[in-house]
Every structure is written in C-alpha cells, then in structure tokens.
Amino acid sequence: MTVPKEMPEKWVQAGAPPSWSRKKPSWGTEEERRARANDREYNEKFQYASNCIKTSKYNILTFLPVNLFEQFQEVANTYFLFLLILQLIPQISSLSWFTTIVPLVLVLTITAVKDATDDYFRHKSDNQVNNRQSQVLINGILQQEQWMNVCVGDIIKLENNQFVAADLLLLSSSEPHGLCYIETAELDGETNMKVRQAIPVTSELGDISKLAKFDGEVICEPPNNKLDKFSGTLYWKENKFPLSNQNMLLRGCVLRNTEWCFGLVIFAGPDTKLMQNSGRTKFKRTSIDRLMNTLVLWIFGFLVCMGVILAIGNAIWEHEVGTRFQVYLPWDEAVDSAFFSGFLSFWSYIIILNTVVPISLYVSVEIIRLGHSYFINWDKKMFCMKKRTPAEARTTTLNEELGQVEYIFSDKTGTLTQNIMVFNKCSINGRSYGDAFDVLGHKAELGERPEPIDFSFNPLADKKFLFWDLSLLESVKMGNPHTHEFFRLLSLCHTVMSEEKNEGELYYKAQSPDEGALVTAARNFGFVFRSRTPKTITVHELGIAITYQLLAILDFNNIRKRMSVIVRNPEGKIRLYCKGADTILLDRLHHSNQELLNTTTDHLNEYAGEGLRTLVLAYKDLDEEYYEEWAERRLQATLAQDSREDRLASVYEEVERDMMLLGATAIEDKLQQGVPETIALLTLANIKIWVLTGDKQETAVNIGYSCKMLTDDMTEVFTVTGHTVLEVREELKKAREKMMDSSRTVGNGFTYQETLSSSKLASVLEAVAGEYALVINGHSLAHALEADMELEFLETACACKAVICCRVTPLQKAQVVELVKKYKKAVTLAIGDGANDVSMIKTAHIGVGISGQEGIQAVLASDYSFSQFKFLQRLLLVHGRWSYLRMCKFLCYFFYKNFAFTMVHFWFGFFCGFSAQTVYDQYFITLYNIVYTSLPVLAMGVFDQDVPEQRSMEYPKLYEPGQLNLLFNKREFFICIAQGIYTSVLMFFIPYGVFAEATRDDGTQLADYQSFAVTVATSLVIVVSMQIGLDTGYWTAINHFFIWGSLAVYFAILFAMHSKGLFDMFPNQFRFVGNAQNTLAEPTVWLTILLTTVVCILPVVAFRFLKLNLRPDLSDTVRYTQLVRKKQKAQHRCMRRVGRTGSRRSGYAFSHQEGFGELIMSGKNMRLSSLALSSFTTRSSSSWIESLRRKKSDSASSPGGGVDKPLKG
C-alpha cells in the first residue's frame, strides 16, 4: 500500500487545485488521485485502471503454458520430468518411457483439470460482475453501461437495493440533506445499515441538468485498503471542501432505504478498497509438509548413493569380467571403457530406482486432505441449528496440523461469550440499580428473581427487554433529574439508525451490540430514540417528542475509547454528552466530582467483578461563544491536508475536559454454551489456552473463572500491571521466584538464579509444582513484548496453566502469537470472531473464525470456521487427531511399500552384472503405484481411526502423541525404511534361493527370468496387501473392497498380459504367452510365495503383539477397555435374563471410589471415564510420554513450555 503524499496547506489560489501535474513513478505507484467530473479526456491522461476486474489467472491461449510452468515450479514434477528425459536416451534407459510419463501425465492432468475448473468459476464470477448494468451520465444523458466500461470521473446514478459499482463520492440523494443508507455486509460482514451524507454544496445537485454541468475536481489519497478512512478535498467554484469516509460509497455496498443517489467515481476496478483488500492470504504449510521435503531430499541422496554403488560395481564388473565377452556381448558403440559404462549405468539405475519417491505420493496426500476437509464440512455435530451454519474447512492443507495444537489464543467477546449484550445494571449519581430484591428486602439470586418490570405503560417499549429493579423505573417516574439526564444521554450519544416499518414498531440498527443494548434500555425507560437526520435527533421523552439539534459527533475509535455528541436543546442550551471506557473518562472529569467518582468507582469494580462490561457517562455544558470558537478550530482541522486525524483528535481532546460525572452502565455478555466444558477438556489434552481481549482486567478475570480457566484451587494468579519497563520486569521476576520457591518447598531442589540461561531457566520452570495463572494488562504487555524482555515474559507465561492478556490491541494479539511461534516448537491456533482478530488469525499456524455478531471478516481470514466455540473440541480432538493419525499411517506405509518394491532392483544388480536390468515387468513397474497399491492406502488414509469419536472426546490424553509428533518423525521414517529394506531382502533372496535348485514336475529347470519376475511381483503385492491389512485399525466395506479388489485386479491384469489374445494384437509388447499361468500352476511357486509372506509378516505381528502386552499405547488401552465393556454388557444381559426373585434392596445403591465427590465439587469438570481409564493404564505408558515431552523441551533451544501434568497411572 502506498502512503498518500502530504499536500501543502497553502495553495496559490484559495479555491483552486494545485497546478502541478499528477506524478506516476515508473514502478506504478500513485502519490495522489485526481479526478475531474464529466471529463473523460482529462482523466484518461492519468491512465487509471478501468472498472473491469479480473480474478482469473488464465485464458484459452495462456492456460497450457502458464499452468505447466506453475506445476513445474514443484520440485517433484521437475524431478520426474528430468527422469523422463533420461529415459528417452537409449544408452542409459532400461525402462520404456511410458513407465514415467503415464503417472506424470496423470498427475499433471488431474492438477490442470482442477486448476481449470477453479479458473472457470472465477471467469464466470468476473463476467457476471463486469456485465452488471449501471446508469452513467454521458453528455448530459443517463445511459446504461456495463460496469466494466465505467471510468474514473463518471457520475453514476444508483437506485434502491443496487450494488455500488465503484468507489464513489456521494453527490446527492433522494433523502433530505443528501443522506443515504448503505449495507456493508460484503465489506465487513455487518448487516446493520450505515448512513452516508453528501457534502452540503453538492447535496442540491439532484437534477440531471445541474449534474451535467458539475465540473468539480477531487484530489485525494492514492488507492489503499483502509476501509474506514478516506482523506481528500473537492475543488469547485474556487472553493475547497474537505472529504472524509462519511462522504464515500465503497464498491460492494448495497444502497438501502434510499430511492436514488448520484456519485462521482473516484476509484475503479482493482483500485477500489474492496479489491485492495482481496489480497492473497499467506500460504501456510504443515510440519509434516516441511518434514516430507527434508525426507525427500534424504531419499534422493540415498538414491544417488545406491546409483554410485551400482555404477562402481558395473565399472569393476565390466573391467574384470565383461571385457572377456566382447565377442558375443559387445559394448554399445558410444561406450569405450569400463569407466564410461559405469557412468551410463549410474543414470540407468537412477531411472530404475526413482520409485523410492513416487509422484503418486503428492497426489495421494492432496486427495486424503480433501477427504478430511469434506468430513469437517459434513459433520452434523458441528452444525448450528440456530444460525443454520455448518462448520467449514476453508483450506485443505492444514488438517493434520489440527492434531498437533499446543497453544490456543482466543478472543473473549463473541468467542467465549455470546456477544449478545443485555443492559444489566447501572450507577446513577452514586446509587446502583439492577439488583432484584425479594419481599423481605433481601437480594434475590438468579433463580429466585421476581417478575421483571412491566413496561406496558410505554407503547414504544421493546417487549424483549427485561429488568428487575423497580426502583429505577420509580426514579424515572418521579422526575429525578440525574436519572432523566442519564437516559437522555443514552438516547442521544450513539450512531444507531432507527427504522419504523409500522407505527410504533421501532427497529434499531446498531454498529455494535453494546450500543444497541444501551439505546434499547433508554427506550424502555421512557427516552425513546425515534429518528435522526444529519443535523437533528428526535427523542420521545416520557411521551413528549423533543428534537435536538445535532451540532457535532466526536466519533469513537480504538485510541480515544470514547464517543461524544454536542447537541442544542429546544431552549437553545448547548451540551456535550460523552460515554467511554472508565480508564479514559475518569481522568477527564471536573475536580468537583471526587466524592461521586469514588462511589462510582466502587460500583464499577463491583460490576467488573461480576463479569459485566462497563462504560462511564458524563456531560459538559458549553456556552455559545466557546462553542463557536471550538467549531471553527474543528473546521480548520477537517480542512487540513496533513495530519488531519491528529489535529481532530487534539481538538476533540480540548472540549472533552472538566466533564461532570453522571454514572456508569454495566452490560452482561453471557458465556456461550459449552465453553467451560470445552476449556476443561482441551486443558486435559495438554493444550494451553491464552485469552487475548480488549476488555478491562476485572471483567476478563471474572470470565476466566466462569470458563474454568482460573480456579480457586490454583496456587496463585499473578497480575502484571506495571506502567514502566522496570516495573514489568520486576513483577515478572517476582512471579518466577514464587514459582521456584514453591518448587523448593515440595522438594524439587531447584535453586533460582536470575543469571540462568534462558534454555536452562525454561526447563527449570517447566518442572515447577502447582498450578499458576498470569494476568497482564495491555500497557504492561507493550513493555513485555520489547526485544529485551520478551523471553522473560514468555518463560513466565509458559510456566503458567492459563494466561489472560487484557486491554490488548489487535497488533498486540498478533505479536503475542508471533512470540510463541518464534521461540516455541509448538503448533499455535488462534480463534476469534471480529475484525480485530484478523491479524491474530493470520499470524497463527491455524486460524479459526467464529461466525458471530461482529461480521464475517474473521471468517474470511480464517482456515476453518464454525458458529460456536464448543465445536473447537470436536475439531481438534476428533477431526484433528484422526487427520494426523491417518496422514502418519499413510506416509509410513507409503514409504515402506515403495522401498520394499524398489530395493529388489538393488539386490538384483549384484546378480546381473550391474547391467541395470529390472526384476519386474515394465508394466508392473508402471501400474504398481497407480493401480495395485494406490486405493488401499488411500482408503486407510481417508477412513482409518484407532478409537471411535466418543472415546476421542472421552479420553483427551489421546491427543498428546500428535503434540509430541510421535506417529511420524525421522525415527519412524527410518523404521519404515528399515522394514521396507528387510522386506525387499526376503522378497528377492527367498525366491532366488528356491529357484536356484527347483525343478518343474517334468524335471526341467524351474528358474527363468519371467517366472522369477512373476513370483517376486506376486509375493510383493500379497505382502504389502497383508501389511496394510495389519495397519488398518478401522475396517469399512470400502477398505475390504479396495484391498481384495486390488489383489483381484493384479491377477486379472497379470493373466491378461500373458494371454494369447494380447500377444496376437501386440506381438512385440506381450511376448511371454502363458508364462503367468505356467508359473502360478507350480506348487513350488505358491509355497515360495507363502514362505516369503510369512517370513515378512510374522516379525511384524510378533513385535506388535509384544508391544501391545508389554508397553501398550493409550489408544491400545482404550480399545481394550472398550472390548471389556462390551463383554461385560453381554454378560450383564445374560444375567438379567436369569434374574433373581429376592429383594433388590441393598445398603448402598452403587459403589465407587472415595474422592469423586470432592472432584466434582471442585468444578474442574474432569470426566469420570478419564479417571477410570487411569486404573487401566500402566505407569510405564505414562512415563515414557512424559519423558519424551521433557526431552523435547530440554533439547529445544527455545524457552520451555508450561507445566505438564503426567498421565496418571
């Protein structure tokens, strides 16, 4: 994004635009945008982008070359193209070219078809948008034009419910004062209406003849992606008029409740803010992807080593033996020495052995990931009936990463809470309202509350609004001036839009749920906001309509954290009303408010302690003279071309001082359903949850307790509130010292030294005893994130079970996530629902968006989305764990079967004079990975599961192997490779040994090349099919069909290729008629195949049997528990059939272990089955996971993680 060029304040002529020409540097960035109305010739000089948008990548001519170029950017595709070129060289190729080109073309075709389909839909969407019709004023006449033909400087007419074609400056509308209403759902997801207003000088240009003569020129900022900001100036009739975002209609908006409006095109097509915001999201890769890239390089190195060994063998063999047979086995013409023969042999073996890295691996991985994504999309248990919103996997590349998450960073409002605001309590002039009392005057609890207040006296009241404290209504009816002023402020100080479909039926459209709740409260208590114009607000105060003149709106932003309006009442009195955060507003009160301030502060603390969101209300009377002077300074600030926002903020700051305190509001934001249970379950899965919120500390802490993130059983909750670097460092140091002291008291024997290196300190903090939590404020976090203190903060935070960061900005959210990503070898997940969470969502390894009350910007930026926080447990513990398990099992088996297949060629090389002769038939080599073994492993990768979904949720400790990366790592890879090499040795040498001495029934020699090839190939297909049968943990009809079907297809193709029919059609290709039938008709061959299969599979079965009995995994224990339960249920049913007729009474209705009652009362919500499981789990199975976890954290150069609770055994 380019930064707008700063414009000088003084012009040569007061009302004329600067005379210099627009500069456009050679690299294409703009310094400023100039657009003159109704003058295409002038505007064309600047070569602005047209309004035609293009999101597609290809056309008919460029598709093939561009798509192939993109596909060959992948190293694997380039590698196989290189192999194909080698195979076309007859001197080094011992395989036909089709063994490589068939799978390569298949992969390229599948990818090209997918890309072409995606691009077709992009073309279709582009054409649909570009061909929309719009009314453009050309030569004084309104003409229908396609959107793509609209140019900068054109004047467009929009009608109700039409989309805005480009970024327009609103000139005039059918509404009074040039007002119009828009819906911005396509920009920010918010469906409530927003108001835009034309500047007064153009609002009168409603007539086409006047618009045709309009020749104003706009000079403004260059194209950028800031949706909420616009800075420019209109020059017309020797005057200049400031322009802001309130005067703009952005492309993607829809005109609502406005009959028509006219606008001047400022930005078109790719320059519009909508298109500027549609930049590509950063591509995310999983840890398995990164590991696979490393492993493929290792395999390639191994391939080169094998090629070198066999090439050296060939050179030695040709020198020692081959030279003696030149008469009947001469060298090729190009070969003149044994060394050169070895060189050619090297490339020949590179071709033959290339199947250790098959191209089908990458295609299979993408198919499996796509299947996992569909499972998430189709999961009915993650479908929200209330909102009719399903879960959505918006990416297919991160599914297995969901099974490895260690840190979750969550927003609070709208993510943990519902973001449905309810006016709960308030403090007015030092008195608190909102508590309900019973008939005896005692405070009533939630379940004992009496009937809510009856607002039937107010015909305009919202029937959904509930309030229990009758004294507040009595105060209003008695005419208490403070109460009246309190609700008058709530009815005036806002940006809510009112819509009245029928008489008395008011509908409020608020930009935030908080604001809607406050205006609704004022409405029910008799101060009804009825309507507004750009200059007035009409309120019905206790049935009397009063219209206030709206002089100024001092709007809210994240820096000011407050909003003010200046109004003049019918008596002519000017008053400023202000509402905002207590941290900001309390410092701007008049000194005479001290006593009231103390009382209100106590009420604020009480409200925050109950988890309520608070605002402070204040007002200030302004005299006419002061207001006129201030309004002039405000006008000058709005006209300033440089630092306009800073100047406005300074002017606003000046008037918002010495205000009089009115009181405070408290709004309840209720927890979402299932949040405490979800957090408890994820904590048991050793996932650390950090809450990053913009709310005040007391509110966030209270929500923390409600969510069970913070509990009374915690050893200590540390609070960091320092305002300076030294204070923050000291507080963090004290927290670490307390944790170390606690560890020494329980006998861990650590001695704390501040001079410890970060890695040692981290490992020491990892072992601290007790449970701790850390709460840190935004101003303290700003210091903690500085380069010289970030490690101290991270070490302290990671040693705590829960972390809550309060009053944080969107940037700080992203910085915290980046800090953990930078120093911890852990997968991070960020979840939020608002635009302020987008940076955090994009920064984390995995971003999850909640489709809530704050629009869909978080969803659009996310990798996964759903409607409720509770679905996160299912996304991680079920889909994530299964995806990780399936991908790991798939990769292990894939590398195993390909090494078992390929290494046979290596052993054969030592018995064929290193001549690069293949063991298998070339058709078998071509079909092995794409037909014979592809579908069974795909079925396992898509459908397999170790335990059912209920058990995955019931035993969250099952999630830990993914966090520790136990199922596929370098060690597991080498085990797979070793098993594959072991299988290849037996696969080659057992048939070789048997065939050396075996004879047929007629006494002739059994051994020949083709019979040996058929025997080895058949053994291989049967062994790998048996192996995948052992690896499959969850059998479906599809698994059975693919495994046994692949075997049947192998034999069908084998017999077909050796049939007389194919020989008659292709005598040069299928020369060995009847070989398969003759070979497999020999009992010796089948005994050889059986022996090979048993010797290959038996050690695997024995090892798994011993492991299951001596050192079972947690998943093994869960499966065993499940089997025991099934048997017990069956026995119980049998016993019930027998029954007994005696008394069924007993002294105690059920038996259980002591201590469960205390556990339930503690509120930790740990599931009974998780505890019951611990009695089945051996201590060894717990300790080895813990030792691996400690080893992982100790070996990492980064600071260690938090305290981990061992799996109890």
Side-chain angles (χ1 to χ4, degrees):
M1 185 188 73
T2 52
V3 179
K5 177 184 175 183
E6 292 188 357
M7 300 182 183
E9 294 182 32
K10 297 180 180 178
W11 308 109
V12 177
Q13 295 179 4
S19 57
W20 61 78
S21 63
R22 171 182 173 273
K23 297 178 181 178
K24 189 168 184 179
S26 58
W27 57 87
T29 58
E30 286 186 42
E31 294 181 355
E32 64 187 21
R33 170 63 59 107
R34 300 169 72 97
R36 186 179 295 171
N38 296 313
D39 194 344
R40 284 194 171 185
E41 184 179 352
Y42 172 80
N43 296 320
E44 283 172 358
K45 292 191 299 184
F46 302 119
Q47 299 178 353
Y48 293 131
S50 71
N51 203 40
C52 178
I53 63 164
K54 181 184 176 185
T55 59
S56 56
K57 295 166 63 178
Y58 318 107
N59 58 41
I60 294 176
L61 295 177
T62 63
F63 173 73
L64 198 60
V66 173
N67 186 260
L68 285 176
F69 176 77
E70 288 177 346
Q71 290 202 58
F72 283 113
Q73 299 293 308
E74 292 284 340
V75 177
N77 290 342
T78 307
Y79 167 66
F80 285 103
L81 179 65
F82 172 68
L83 289 177
L84 177 62
I85 294 170
L86 289 180
Q87 284 180 275
L88 297 175
I89 303 173
Q91 285 82 5
I92 63 175
S93 178
S94 55
L95 286 175
S96 297
W97 51 269
F98 65 78
T99 58
T100 296
I101 200 170
V102 169
L104 180 61
V105 168
L106 184 66
V107 168
L108 294 176
T109 303
I110 290 173
T111 307
V113 168
K114 174 181 171 293
D115 292 343
T117 304
D118 291 343
D119 207 57
Y120 167 75
F121 287 112
R122 283 193 287 264
H123 270 287
K124 193 174 179 181
S125 175
D126 290 349
N127 290 335
Q128 182 182 356
V129 172
N130 289 329
N131 290 317
R132 284 177 180 169
Q133 296 294 310
S134 187
Q135 299 181 68
V136 182
L137 187 62
I138 300 176
N139 298 324
I141 303 171
L142 277 177
Q143 299 181 13
Q144 290 288 336
E145 283 282 356
Q146 294 175 325
W147 277 24
M148 67 174 75
N149 298 325
V150 171
C151 302
V152 172
D154 285 352
I155 293 178
I156 294 178
K157 181 182 181 182
L158 294 175
E159 294 180 348
N160 194 32
N161 296 327
Q162 281 189 345
F163 278 95
V164 179
D167 288 357
L168 310 176
L169 169 66
L170 179 61
L171 297 177
S172 61
S173 78
S174 59
E175 299 297 305
H177 311 288
L179 209 66
C180 78
Y181 303 96
I182 57 171
E183 185 181 282
T184 60
E186 195 167 322
L187 288 174
D188 56 18
E190 296 178 4
T191 56
N192 54 289
M193 285 189 298
K194 296 181 175 64
V195 64
R196 294 293 184 265
Q197 185 182 8
I199 57 175
V201 72
T202 65
S203 62
E204 301 169 359
L205 302 176
D207 185 65
I208 291 178
S209 59
K210 293 180 181 178
L211 286 164
K213 297 175 183 176
F214 177 65
D215 61 351
E217 183 172 356
V218 173
I219 299 180
C220 65
E221 61 190 22
N224 60 71
N225 61 359
K226 293 181 179 179
L227 293 173
D228 57 344
K229 292 182 181 178
F230 178 81
S231 178
T233 305
L234 170 65
Y235 296 89
W236 189 42
K237 294 182 178 179
E238 298 187 354
N239 288 303
K240 58 179 183 177
F241 309 94
L243 304 175
S244 70
N245 200 51
Q246 285 298 309
N247 311 124
M248 296 295 293
L249 304 180
L250 301 184
R251 179 179 180 133
C253 297
V254 182
L255 192 67
R256 299 290 192 203
N257 296 348
T258 307
E259 189 178 340
W260 54 261
C261 72
F262 286 94
L264 173 67
V265 177
I266 305 297
F267 301 120
D271 290 344
T272 60
K273 291 182 183 286
L274 176 67
M275 299 305 295
Q276 291 279 315
N277 273 280
S278 61
R280 294 179 180 178
T281 305
K282 182 182 176 182
F283 182 69
K284 298 179 180 180
R285 300 185 70 88
T286 67
S287 56
I288 286 184
D289 279 334
R290 293 188 289 270
L291 177 60
M292 274 176 55
N293 289 339
T294 303
L295 297 181
V296 166
L297 290 175
W298 288 2
I299 292 173
F300 183 73
F302 180 66
L303 173 63
V304 171
C305 290
M306 288 193 295
V308 169
I309 292 170
L310 294 170
I312 292 172
N314 177 269
I316 294 173
W317 191 89
E318 291 291 353
H319 183 266
E320 297 294 331
V321 182
T323 51
R324 305 174 190 173
F325 301 96
Q326 289 293 319
V327 176
Y328 65 90
L329 195 62
W331 287 338
D332 293 334
E333 293 181 5
V335 179
D336 55 0
S337 66
F339 174 80
F340 191 65
S341 174
F343 174 75
L344 295 180
S345 177
F346 169 79
W347 295 109
S348 298
Y349 273 112
I350 291 294
I351 294 172
I352 292 172
L353 301 174
N354 79 82
T355 48
V356 288
V357 190
I359 193 170
S360 57
L361 171 66
Y362 296 94
V363 180
S364 302
V365 166
E366 292 306 315
I367 292 173
I368 290 171
R369 285 173 171 167
L370 185 63
H372 295 167
S373 299
Y374 278 121
F375 288 153
I376 293 172
N377 296 343
W378 293 339
D379 192 342
K380 291 182 179 178
K381 294 182 180 178
M382 295 172 68
F383 180 83
C384 179
M385 291 298 296
K386 185 178 179 181
K387 298 180 181 178
R388 308 294 299 172
T389 306
E392 182 184 5
R394 300 173 57 80
T395 179
T396 60
T397 58
L398 301 175
N399 295 326
E400 63 269 19
E401 197 103 307
L402 289 170
Q404 299 180 276
V405 173
E406 283 192 58
Y407 288 88
I408 292 176
F409 300 91
S410 175
D411 177 40
K412 183 188 76 68
T413 305
T415 304
L416 301 178
T417 60
Q418 296 180 25
N419 201 18
I420 298 174
M421 307 301 177
V422 179
F423 184 82
N424 191 285
K425 292 184 178 181
C426 63
S427 172
I428 303 175
N429 196 35
R431 180 176 174 181
S432 179
Y433 298 92
D435 289 322
F437 297 91
D438 57 23
V439 291
L440 298 176
H442 299 130
K443 186 176 177 180
E445 296 301 325
L446 185 62
E448 306 167 352
R449 285 184 172 180
E451 287 295 315
I453 294 176
D454 181 9
F455 289 106
S456 59
F457 74 93
N458 182 359
L460 296 175
D462 186 344
K463 295 179 176 60
K464 298 177 183 177
F465 180 83
L466 299 176
F467 200 77
W468 280 267
D469 193 347
L470 190 60
S471 61
L472 182 56
L473 181 58
E474 291 173 350
S475 179
V476 172
K477 289 182 175 180
M478 291 172 61
N480 186 312
H482 297 101
T483 308
H484 280 208
E485 201 66 19
F486 179 90
F487 285 115
R488 185 174 292 118
L489 184 151
L490 294 183
S491 65
L492 292 171
C493 186
H494 57 79
T495 57
V496 173
M497 300 303 300
S498 174
E499 183 180 354
E500 193 165 353
K501 295 182 178 178
N502 299 311
E503 180 66 28
E505 291 185 15
L506 289 174
Y507 295 92
Y508 289 155
K509 300 286 187 180
Q511 294 192 38
S512 72
D514 305 65
E515 202 162 56
L518 294 174
V519 177
T520 301
R523 167 184 175 179
N524 275 56
F525 281 98
F527 289 74
V528 185
F529 162 61
R530 199 66 184 264
S531 63
R532 77 186 314 146
T533 70
K535 297 297 182 183
T536 65
I537 297 178
T538 300
V539 178
H540 280 219
E541 297 185 0
L542 300 177
I544 302 171
I546 299 177
T547 299
Y548 292 86
Q549 185 182 351
L550 180 60
L551 301 177
I553 295 180
L554 287 57
D555 210 355
F556 174 90
N557 64 37
N558 286 326
I559 299 172
R560 284 168 39 77
K561 294 185 179 179
R562 62 190 183 275
M563 175 201 173
S564 300
V565 294
I566 301 176
V567 296
R568 178 184 278 118
N569 66 15
E571 289 77 34
K573 189 176 181 181
I574 300 175
R575 178 166 285 184
L576 176 142
Y577 290 109
C578 183
K579 67 181 182 186
D582 54 350
T583 53
I584 302 295
L585 221 61
L586 294 181
D587 295 334
R588 288 166 171 75
L589 298 178
H590 194 271
H591 59 82
S592 63
N593 288 268
Q594 192 58 49
E595 185 177 344
L596 178 58
L597 172 61
N598 295 336
T599 308
T600 306
T601 302
D602 292 339
H603 291 160
L604 286 169
N605 293 334
E606 177 189 334
Y607 299 156
E610 296 174 15
L612 304 178
R613 296 160 62 91
T614 57
L615 282 176
V616 173
L617 311 183
Y619 71 95
K620 178 181 180 181
D621 288 320
L622 306 175
D623 59 54
E624 190 74 36
E625 184 180 351
Y626 173 80
Y627 169 73
E628 293 295 339
E629 293 176 1
W630 179 85
E632 180 62 29
R633 289 195 296 275
R634 177 172 176 263
L635 178 62
Q636 294 302 320
T638 58
L639 290 172
Q641 295 298 321
D642 57 326
S643 306
R644 179 185 296 180
E645 292 179 8
D646 293 338
R647 295 188 182 198
L648 278 174
S650 177
V651 173
Y652 291 169
E653 181 81 22
E654 175 192 334
V655 76
E656 293 172 327
R657 290 179 183 169
D658 296 330
M659 294 183 287
M660 302 301 293
L661 179 61
L662 262 178
T665 62
I667 294 175
E668 181 181 10
D669 186 8
K670 295 180 179 179
L671 276 182
Q672 287 189 18
Q673 183 183 2
V675 167
E677 293 81 2
T678 300
I679 288 178
L681 202 63
L682 295 176
T683 303
L684 289 173
N686 201 57
I687 297 174
K688 300 173 183 65
I689 302 176
W690 293 21
V691 172
L692 312 177
T693 177
D695 265 349
K696 62 186 299 183
Q697 178 183 314
E698 294 82 358
T699 305
V701 168
N702 189 270
I703 292 294
Y705 279 104
S706 302
C707 293
K708 300 295 187 291
M709 277 184 64
L710 307 178
T711 65
D712 294 329
D713 295 336
M714 283 185 162
T715 310
E716 188 165 352
V717 177
F718 301 113
T719 303
V720 179
T721 57
H723 286 78
T724 66
V725 175
L726 292 177
E727 288 175 357
V728 174
R729 177 172 278 118
E730 186 63 27
E731 288 176 355
L732 290 174
K733 179 181 176 182
K734 285 180 179 178
R736 291 195 299 275
E737 285 176 345
K738 283 187 178 180
M739 285 190 274
M740 305 315 302
D741 290 340
S742 174
S743 298
R744 282 198 294 270
T745 58
V746 294
N748 286 358
F750 295 116
T751 55
Y752 180 79
Q753 294 179 359
E754 187 65 37
T755 56
L756 277 175
S757 67
S758 62
S759 59
K760 289 181 180 179
L761 177 59
S763 61
V764 170
L765 285 172
E766 178 112 353
V768 297
E771 293 182 351
Y772 298 90
L774 178 69
V775 179
I776 183 168
N777 265 313
H779 52 78
S780 304
L781 186 63
H783 297 306
L785 292 174
E786 291 178 2
D788 60 338
M789 207 193 303
E790 60 181 14
L791 278 177
E792 294 178 46
F793 165 66
L794 186 64
E795 291 156 5
T796 310
C798 289
C800 296
K801 181 182 176 183
V803 178
I804 298 178
C805 302
C806 318
R807 298 292 198 192
V808 294
T809 64
L811 178 61
Q812 285 178 326
K813 290 184 178 184
Q815 288 174 334
V816 171
V817 177
E818 187 61 46
L819 180 65
V820 175
K821 279 181 65 179
K822 181 180 177 181
Y823 290 107
K824 302 289 291 180
K825 293 182 178 178
V827 177
T828 59
L829 181 148
I831 179 169
D833 74 318
N836 60 335
D837 303 315
V838 168
S839 56
M840 172 177 74
I841 286 171
K842 287 187 174 181
T843 303
H845 291 101
I846 302 168
V848 177
I850 288 188
S851 48
Q853 304 291 322
E854 294 189 23
I856 57 170
Q857 281 185 294
V859 171
L860 295 176
S862 67
D863 305 304
Y864 300 89
S865 68
F866 41 72
S867 61
Q868 294 185 43
F869 182 83
K870 68 178 181 180
F871 295 145
L872 185 61
Q873 58 177 308
R874 187 167 178 82
L875 182 70
L876 299 184
L877 301 186
V878 177
H879 292 288
R881 202 181 73 81
W882 278 353
S883 295
Y884 174 72
L885 170 79
R886 292 162 177 166
M887 186 60 71
C888 293
K889 292 180 75 171
F890 163 81
L891 291 173
C892 287
Y893 175 78
F894 210 97
F895 285 121
Y896 154 76
K897 77 180 180 68
N898 281 286
F899 266 79
F901 165 66
T902 307
M903 289 300 292
V904 173
H905 294 302
F906 181 77
W907 311 124
F908 186 56
F910 291 90
F911 296 89
C912 67
F914 305 96
S915 61
Q917 175 66 42
T918 60
V919 177
Y920 314 110
D921 178 82
Q922 61 183 1
Y923 294 103
F924 179 82
I925 294 173
T926 304
L927 299 175
Y928 177 76
N929 273 313
I930 62 176
V931 176
Y932 300 149
T933 61
S934 60
L935 294 179
V937 71
L938 276 179
M940 182 180 72
V942 172
F943 299 109
D944 200 49
Q945 51 185 263
D946 53 349
V947 297
E949 60 182 70
Q950 298 90 341
R951 300 290 174 256
S952 294
M953 303 279 282
E954 201 171 348
Y955 306 121
K957 281 287 181 182
L958 287 167
Y959 191 79
E960 287 197 14
Q963 295 172 325
L964 297 170
N965 207 19
L966 295 181
L967 301 186
F968 187 73
N969 49 41
K970 293 172 184 175
R971 176 178 173 274
E972 292 296 321
F973 169 74
F974 284 119
I975 290 174
C976 299
I977 299 308
Q979 185 186 353
I981 293 174
Y982 164 78
T983 302
S984 70
V985 169
L986 298 176
M987 200 76 63
F988 175 78
F989 285 101
I990 290 177
Y992 186 86
V994 171
F995 273 53
E997 303 295 337
T999 58
R1000 299 180 186 271
D1001 293 339
D1002 58 3
T1004 59
Q1005 185 72 22
L1006 177 62
D1008 63 71
Y1009 172 72
Q1010 278 298 315
S1011 297
F1012 180 72
V1014 168
T1015 304
V1016 174
T1018 305
S1019 301
L1020 175 65
V1021 172
I1022 292 175
V1023 166
V1024 297
S1025 297
M1026 292 289 290
Q1027 181 64 46
I1028 199 168
L1030 291 174
D1031 288 346
T1032 301
Y1034 181 71
W1035 285 86
T1036 65
I1038 296 175
N1039 294 85
H1040 282 288
F1041 179 76
F1042 282 171
I1043 292 176
W1044 313 127
S1046 295
L1047 277 173
V1049 167
Y1050 164 72
F1051 283 110
I1053 293 176
L1054 178 67
F1055 289 128
M1057 286 194 304
H1058 292 85
S1059 65
K1060 187 175 184 302
L1062 276 181
F1063 171 75
D1064 292 338
M1065 287 186 285
F1066 307 102
N1068 293 327
Q1069 295 295 323
F1070 302 98
R1071 294 187 289 268
F1072 302 98
V1073 182
N1075 177 267
Q1077 293 86 332
N1078 292 337
T1079 302
L1080 296 178
E1082 293 293 329
T1084 306
V1085 171
W1086 281 108
L1087 288 172
T1088 303
I1089 293 172
L1090 178 63
L1091 177 63
T1092 305
T1093 304
V1094 170
V1095 175
C1096 288
I1097 296 298
L1098 194 60
V1100 178
V1101 175
F1103 173 78
R1104 294 188 181 180
F1105 176 79
L1106 292 172
K1107 182 177 179 295
L1108 193 63
N1109 282 273
L1110 300 178
R1111 201 175 183 184
D1113 290 334
L1114 185 55
S1115 58
D1116 299 327
T1117 310
V1118 172
R1119 282 197 299 270
Y1120 172 74
T1121 307
Q1122 197 174 356
L1123 289 173
V1124 170
R1125 286 176 177 175
K1126 285 183 179 179
K1127 290 180 181 179
Q1128 287 176 345
K1129 285 180 181 179
Q1131 292 173 0
H1132 183 60
R1133 282 196 295 269
C1134 293
M1135 290 173 64
R1136 267 198 316 192
R1137 290 194 192 103
V1138 177
R1140 65 187 179 94
T1141 58
S1143 170
R1144 299 186 63 178
R1145 293 182 183 177
S1146 65
Y1148 205 51
F1150 55 92
S1151 67
H1152 64 188
Q1153 295 177 0
E1154 184 180 358
F1156 279 87
E1158 182 182 350
L1159 178 73
I1160 294 170
M1161 294 299 291
S1162 69
K1164 291 186 178 178
N1165 287 359
M1166 185 169 181
R1167 302 196 174 192
L1168 173 61
S1169 49
S1170 297
L1171 293 170
L1173 177 65
S1174 63
S1175 62
F1176 292 100
T1177 311
T1178 60
R1179 290 189 178 275
S1180 60
S1181 68
S1182 135
S1183 59
W1184 72 273
I1185 284 187
E1186 282 308 310
S1187 61
L1188 268 173
R1189 185 178 291 286
R1190 291 196 185 95
K1191 188 183 294 184
K1192 176 191 173 188
S1193 60
D1194 289 345
S1195 61
S1197 59
S1198 60
V1203 180
D1204 299 310
K1205 300 174 78 173
L1207 182 66
K1208 296 175 183 177

